[in-house]
Amino acid sequence: MSTTESSKPTNFIHQVIEQDLEQGKNGGKVVTRFPPEPNGYLHIGHAKSICLNFGTAEKYKGGCNLRFDDTNPEKESQEYIDSIIEDVKWLGFQWQGDICYTSNYFDQLYAWAVYLINEGKAYVCDLGPDEAREYRGNFTTPGKDSPYRNRSVEENLALFEKMKNGEFAEGACSLRAKIDMQSPNMNLRDPMIYRILHTNHHQTGDKWCIYPIYDFAHGQSDAIEGVTHSICTLEFEDHRPLYEWFLENLPVPVVPKQYEFSRLELNYTITSKRKLKQLVDENIVTGWNDPRMPTISGLRRRGYTPASLRNFCDMVGVTRSNGVVDMGMLEAAVREDLDKNSPRAMCVVRPLKVTITNYDDALEEWFELPKHPKDDTMGMRKVPFTRNLLIEQDDFAEVPPRKWKRLTQGVAVRLRGAYVITCDEVIKDAEGNVVELKCSYDAATKGANPEGYKPKGVIHWVSADNSVPCEVREYDRLFTVENPDADKERDFNEFINPESLVVVTGGRCESGLADAAVESRYQFERTGYFCVDADSTAETLVFNRTVGLRDSWGK
């Protein structure tokens, strides 16, 4: 295969693949895999792995397998499987062939475990978990052989058969590989291969009561599937010698190679599935797809697009250097995509009544505004103008600050796409709160600049008589500190941002949004980017704020 412009290597893994292809390795094929454990929803870190594995296969005209690492049925569920499938499809990728499960290979993995026993390279060990840890040693103390390490092949075969038949309690014994208890690599100190688990499996039912450990199942599943480049994150680098040991000592059909890259870590969030589950279980968030969560489904619900996540992963790049990416980079990626592709609309989140005193109460005009100022192909939208309008409370000030470019008494502003109005009178309630502005409009300013005076600025508005009720959910960073896990003396959830969700009811948006579909995305002019939430009803639309028009965090 010759190197084309589209296939030029863009990272060290692609450089390896280019070399392999030039040397004719793997029959000129590239097969990768994405092997999630179905014990939670996927997060932004998984998005990077998805883009790398599926994107690499696409680039080199190969295939990528979607394989569920379902070796721990206690923590797995069909809900997680379904969510992962949906996330991969939503990001725009397609796996080759059927969806795979490690459980598809349980019979073969069991046979290979028996093979290792027959080769004298695996044994049944009766040490309990605490004893096994003691015998294993640590990084400064070498391990010592289990007293059961030298059992005969016949005894090990008989005991392993009893394990499979359910004749032992959980934790009574395990099958371990016989490698090297003196190895400086802890993963090679006679690692466990199989443990007893009397748990029903979501794919295999009650057929098995022993389950393979990930380190044993991983490489062999790759080999069965013909994976050529097994790409995983850096925490598996120390496991690679074990990955290779199993492949070298088993009659596998092919020998894949493992390569590691750095994880994607974001500040102001966490990506531990265990801790994300804790947020869900403790009702700190509303679920795995809460728009504050760094899960793919949460980001999707918040209004992120597949293109924005893929572009973000490209921006981050693929290296072997661990680091933390600033949340602002992710927000910039979605802001760029939404700016180009989101139609514009006007929404008044916190309304203030405006009465145009010199406008006919029976009149209703319809103004045509572009759906996008830089994309004529999106067409136009119609917005009704009436005597009774609504503007943002923040767009009026009785005592304006310096350089104020919005509405105040005696000052004129332009209503976006409509007329210039001047505030003549301020109405307050008994507590002194401004509740209504009496304004007059200049009929000569429709589509024209006024003569003799200059408006202070442009503000957005909607008709109070012909607009759609909405609820706006303003989302922000989930945590108040960059690294919620940094303080080991305190629980990470102590740093939850109390302003991570502010629900604002009573808003009104353009009448043209009445039938907006769930996940429709808009730029609310002068406000930010918003997405229609599934909680919307026939009476009230619900919008999630995806991101502001510009980065204002900490300002």
Side-chain angles (χ1 to χ4, degrees), residues 41-43 87 90 287-304 309 475 531 533 544 546:
Y41 282 52
L42 300 182
H43 54 65
D87 286 346
W90 179 76
W288 285 95
N289 70 338
D290 187 301
R292 292 168 291 179
M293 292 278 272
T295 55
I296 294 174
S297 58
L299 292 166
R300 174 181 179 177
R301 186 176 175 189
R302 185 159 168 171
Y304 279 73
L309 295 188
Y475 291 99
C531 179
D533 191 81
N544 298 324
T546 308

Side-chain angles (χ1 to χ4, degrees), residues 286-482:
T286 58
W288 285 95
N289 70 338
D290 187 301
R292 292 168 291 179
M293 292 278 272
T295 55
I296 294 174
S297 58
L299 292 166
R300 174 181 179 177
R301 186 176 175 189
R302 185 159 168 171
Y304 279 73
T305 61
S308 67
L309 295 188
R310 292 175 68 156
N311 291 340
F312 170 68
C313 291
D314 285 343
M315 291 162 60
V316 171
V318 178
T319 70
R320 285 182 50 83
S321 301
N322 281 321
V324 179
V325 178
D326 187 82
M327 178 69 78
M329 184 183 290
L330 176 61
E331 292 172 341
V334 72
R335 193 179 287 116
E336 179 182 8
D337 187 51
L338 294 177
D339 179 52
K340 290 186 293 186
N341 299 300
S342 294
R344 275 39 173 175
M346 291 190 288
C347 177
V348 175
V349 180
R350 295 169 175 85
L352 174 60
K353 182 179 179 182
V354 171
T355 302
I356 310 298
T357 55
N358 62 335
Y359 194 85
D360 188 339
D361 192 33
L363 185 61
E364 182 180 72
E365 289 184 82
W366 287 83
F367 292 101
E368 278 203 342
L369 281 69
K371 289 185 177 180
H372 196 292
K374 298 178 182 178
D375 187 350
D376 295 340
T377 63
M378 287 195 185
M380 305 295 286
R381 70 190 202 269
K382 291 187 175 182
V383 180
F385 186 91
T386 58
R387 173 185 174 92
N388 302 305
L389 304 176
L390 299 169
I391 67 169
E392 290 286 355
Q393 294 174 13
D394 289 347
D395 281 340
F396 174 79
E398 278 192 279
V399 183
R402 187 169 172 268
K403 296 184 178 181
W404 181 253
K405 293 187 180 296
R406 287 172 275 177
L407 195 60
T408 189
Q409 191 164 2
V411 170
V413 299
R414 178 174 287 283
L415 298 179
R416 172 79 75 189
Y419 297 106
V420 172
I421 63 169
T422 301
C423 179
D424 304 313
E425 184 183 354
V426 178
I427 309 298
K428 299 181 181 180
D429 62 15
E431 286 75 39
N433 300 308
V434 177
V435 294
E436 183 182 357
L437 304 177
K438 301 280 189 179
C439 300
S440 55
Y441 88 109
D442 185 339
T445 58
K446 179 180 178 181
N449 292 322
E451 292 185 12
Y453 63 98
K454 185 177 181 180
K456 277 289 188 179
V458 181
I459 64 174
H460 63 279
W461 55 278
V462 295
S463 166
D465 308 308
N466 192 349
S467 55
V468 178
C470 64
E471 172 185 303
V472 173
R473 299 174 181 176
E474 298 177 336
Y475 291 99
D476 216 322
R477 287 159 168 74
L478 185 55
F479 294 97
T480 57
V481 296
E482 288 198 38

Side-chain angles (χ1 to χ4, degrees), residues 23-52:
Q23 296 170 12
K25 290 184 179 179
N26 308 307
K29 294 189 302 182
V30 174
V31 180
T32 60
R33 85 289 171 271
F34 176 61
E37 184 179 357
N39 62 351
Y41 282 52
L42 300 182
H43 54 65
I44 185 65
H46 294 110
K48 178 180 176 180
S49 182
I50 291 170
C51 290
L52 176 57

Side-chain angles (χ1 to χ4, degrees), residues 226-255:
V227 170
T228 59
H229 299 82
S230 183
I231 307 168
C232 52
T233 45
L234 274 176
E235 65 264 34
F236 293 100
E237 183 175 23
D238 289 342
H239 295 247
R240 194 195 324 148
L242 181 56
Y243 179 97
E244 294 171 347
W245 187 91
F246 284 128
L247 293 174
E248 291 168 1
N249 286 276
L250 288 168
V252 292
V254 299
V255 180

